Amino acid sequence: MKNKIICLLFFLSVTAAFADIRNAVCIVRPNYSEKTAAFMEAASDKLETAGYSDLAELFKNAKEGVFGSGFLLKDKIKKTMF
């Protein structure tokens, strides 16, 4: 019982510490050039014929548009963003 309470308190403290993380996360959507989109289509076709249908589907889906998340870091001194 003592371990459960300690785990619960730890979980709640970690959650409270990172509760404001949504303000620091950005959404990333790539803009592929036509050349890159053509490459992804060709790679998808070759992977499909080689028997890697799951990987081919990932390439097709990525070509149609994907998004991700990440962090933007800003240097306080130089004001450079990473």
Side-chain angles (χ1 to χ4, degrees):
M1 182 68 176
K2 184 178 177 181
N3 286 339
K4 288 181 183 180
I5 292 173
I6 290 173
C7 287
L8 179 65
L9 289 175
F10 177 74
F11 176 73
L12 291 175
S13 65
V14 169
T15 303
F18 293 107
D20 198 26
I21 198 166
R22 277 185 259 158
N23 293 335
V25 175
C26 61
I27 302 297
V28 179
R29 295 184 187 271
N31 245 349
Y32 296 124
S33 67
E34 288 186 29
K35 185 178 177 182
T36 303
F39 165 76
M40 292 176 84
E41 182 69 32
S44 174
D45 292 340
K46 288 194 183 239
L47 288 167
E48 184 74 42
T49 58
Y52 298 103
S53 58
D54 291 341
L55 192 54
E57 187 177 335
L58 287 174
F59 268 82
K60 281 183 184 176
N61 291 341
K63 183 186 73 105
E64 308 223 346
V66 296
F67 70 94
S69 62
F71 290 93
L72 180 67
L73 303 175
K74 185 175 182 181
D75 185 4
K76 288 184 179 180
I77 298 171
K78 296 180 182 177
K79 305 294 184 200
T80 306
M81 295 186 191
F82 302 98

